[in-house]
Amino acid sequence: MFRRFKILPHQLGLLFRDGAFERLVESRRGWLFDPFGRLRLDIVSLRQVVFVHERLDEIVKSAALKDRAIVLDLRDWQRALVWIDGRFSQILPAGLYALWDTVRDVRVEVVDARRVRFEHDELAHVTRFPSAAQFLDVCDVQRDHVGVLFVDGRYIDEVAPGRYAFWRGMGESRMVEIDQREQTIDVNGQDLMTADKVSLRVNATVSFRIALPRRAVSTSDDCNQSLYRATQMALREVLGQRELNEFLADKDATASDALTRLRRRAEQIGLAVTEFGIRDIVLPGDMKDLMNRVTEAKAAAEANLIARREETAAMRSQANTAKLLEANPVLMRLRELEVLEKVASSSSLQVVLGDGGLGDRLTKLI
């Protein structure tokens, strides 16, 4: 008939009669007179901030928790952030809650989740809490990147580097992270044909950066691949209008023309091309041999031309000398003496005289 109970200072009793909530029982010791077993006393700890009970709705309606607990009745589009003793504790989804605030310092903030994107001054602390992952999708935009945000397929905003969070179940959020640093693509081994029907292989390099992130995401599923294809097409168009000799003679002009075409296409997909260059030119084997032979023939012809020019100059000099000697007998005699002096200065000199006439002439010369 009597039941003894003890409620500590940090506890509270919930008294039910015939299954219905009747009243709160304060901290004390006492007895319950229950001859027919109609009473039930539930003891709860006020240190457990979130009050969980199967008859919570009935207890809240009785107004017994007034000035003793924070009562929350969250709608489907509401979430509650709970801080206990100045530290973030948890996120509460839609539902009915009671939080004891008599023993511990409790602060509650109700937010509207229909905005999908969760913005808060203490976002970093909230998202680091383990239970936050049940309610929030968290993404980080790295340094030198920009995030393009879409919600339910609609473009929302471009966001700077940092951490962002979105409520689960309130909309399909998608963050596309775009690298805004300069990037380089190598276009290797592309077979092309010049205007004079010569096939060759060209390797090129193109440097670019993403200038319009939203356009880059919306117009192409892979802007790098799109730029790669655009580079191939630009090279094909430019080389198709030039003959091989013209291309080889001025590769810079070809690259400049290709760059102009490429920039127009890149702008359409949100890219800015900063540099373009033709790195390697590979000719077919037979064409390479032919070019080598042509080069050799040109070199031989140039060498032969130089030799002929030198011979012509030497003969012209000799002719001028002969005219000068013919016009000046004394100069001719001095020239003869120079030649004889050179002959006489050799290590051995043998003079063979034939008939008298030769000897007389030599004696007169000396």
Side-chain angles (χ1 to χ4, degrees), residues 178 183-188 190 206 208 210 216-217 219-234 262 265-266 269-271 273:
I178 301 296
Q183 305 176 52
T184 300
I185 295 178
D186 291 329
V187 182
N188 296 322
Q190 183 182 7
V206 56
F208 71 98
I210 298 179
V217 172
T219 58
S220 176
D221 60 344
D222 188 344
C223 58
N224 288 32
Q225 188 65 21
S226 298
L227 183 62
Y228 185 93
R229 299 300 181 192
T231 304
Q232 289 184 318
M233 293 302 298
L262 186 58
R265 172 55 183 158
I269 57 177
L271 307 181
V273 177

Side-chain angles (χ1 to χ4, degrees), residues 49-297:
V49 173
V50 180
F51 172 40
V52 180
H53 198 278
E54 59 185 4
R55 297 293 185 89
L56 177 62
D57 55 342
E58 183 180 342
I59 298 172
V60 169
K61 289 180 181 179
S62 69
L65 300 180
K66 185 179 181 181
D67 300 329
R68 294 178 178 271
I70 300 173
V71 177
L72 299 174
D73 189 6
L74 302 178
R75 302 292 184 256
D76 291 339
W77 42 269
Q78 291 180 317
R79 303 290 182 268
L81 310 178
V82 181
W83 279 264
I84 299 176
D85 297 333
R87 294 182 294 273
F88 178 75
S89 175
Q90 60 183 307
I91 299 175
L92 298 178
L96 182 64
Y97 302 92
L99 292 82
W100 304 114
D101 62 348
T102 55
V103 175
R104 306 182 68 176
D105 179 23
V106 179
R107 180 169 64 92
V108 177
E109 183 179 349
V110 178
V111 297
D112 188 343
R114 289 177 295 186
R115 298 179 60 185
V116 182
R117 177 178 169 182
F118 172 53
E119 298 181 78
H120 199 277
D121 293 340
E122 300 184 43
L123 177 64
H125 299 289
V126 174
T127 53
R128 279 200 296 265
F129 204 79
S131 63
Q134 301 176 10
F135 307 100
L136 293 170
D137 286 325
V138 181
C139 67
D140 294 307
V141 178
Q142 304 300 321
R143 183 182 62 183
D144 299 321
H145 290 62
V146 64
V148 183
L149 175 61
F150 295 88
V151 175
D152 295 331
R154 294 179 293 106
Y155 168 78
I156 301 299
D157 196 10
E158 292 182 8
V159 297
R163 170 162 288 193
Y164 300 89
F166 307 90
W167 293 110
R168 291 178 179 267
M170 299 305 296
E172 183 184 353
S173 57
R174 176 172 174 249
M175 180 77 78
V176 182
E177 191 175 5
I178 301 296
D179 190 346
Q180 290 195 302
R181 294 172 296 182
E182 185 173 283
Q183 305 176 52
T184 300
I185 295 178
D186 291 329
V187 182
N188 296 322
Q190 183 182 7
D191 293 325
L192 304 171
M193 183 174 291
T194 61
D196 51 351
K197 309 303 180 185
V198 177
S199 296
L200 67 160
R201 181 168 295 181
V202 176
N203 298 329
T205 301
V206 56
S207 298
F208 71 98
R209 61 179 181 84
I210 298 179
L212 301 173
R214 178 187 177 184
R215 184 182 296 181
V217 172
S218 301
T219 58
S220 176
D221 60 344
D222 188 344
C223 58
N224 288 32
Q225 188 65 21
S226 298
L227 183 62
Y228 185 93
R229 299 300 181 192
T231 304
Q232 289 184 318
M233 293 302 298
L235 277 173
R236 192 177 300 276
E237 292 173 1
V238 170
L239 286 180
Q241 300 174 359
R242 285 173 166 79
E243 294 186 354
L244 179 61
N245 290 337
E246 180 185 359
F247 169 54
L248 295 178
D250 194 354
K251 295 188 291 294
D252 291 339
T254 303
S256 178
D257 193 1
L259 177 60
T260 301
R261 296 169 183 262
L262 186 58
R263 279 177 171 164
R264 288 198 296 265
R265 172 55 183 158
E267 185 179 354
Q268 297 175 359
I269 57 177
L271 307 181
V273 177
T274 58
E275 187 177 3
F276 176 82
I278 297 175
R279 195 176 65 233
D280 300 308
I281 302 171
V282 181
L283 297 172
D286 53 349
M287 181 58 66
K288 188 183 298 183
D289 294 339
L290 178 60
M291 294 294 293
N292 290 336
R293 289 199 297 270
V294 170
T295 302
E296 292 176 359

Side-chain angles (χ1 to χ4, degrees), residues 303-322:
N304 190 32
L305 179 60
I306 293 173
R308 293 293 180 267
R309 288 175 180 173
E310 294 295 330
E311 290 178 0
T312 302
M315 293 178 66
R316 184 178 294 110
S317 177
Q318 291 178 356
N320 293 335
T321 302

Side-chain angles (χ1 to χ4, degrees), residues 10-68:
H10 65 278
Q11 294 176 330
L12 194 65
L14 307 174
L15 182 62
F16 293 86
R17 184 182 298 275
D18 295 330
F21 176 74
E22 184 173 284
R23 62 185 175 86
L24 297 177
V25 180
E26 300 290 344
S27 171
R28 64 186 177 88
R29 297 170 184 263
W31 296 85
L32 286 178
F33 177 70
D34 185 18
F36 303 106
R38 299 169 59 188
L39 300 178
R40 190 184 87 190
L41 181 64
D42 294 343
I43 299 176
V44 297
S45 174
L46 299 180
R47 292 174 178 170
Q48 298 294 327
V49 173
V50 180
F51 172 40
V52 180
H53 198 278
E54 59 185 4
R55 297 293 185 89
L56 177 62
D57 55 342
E58 183 180 342
I59 298 172
V60 169
K61 289 180 181 179
S62 69
L65 300 180
K66 185 179 181 181
D67 300 329
R68 294 178 178 271

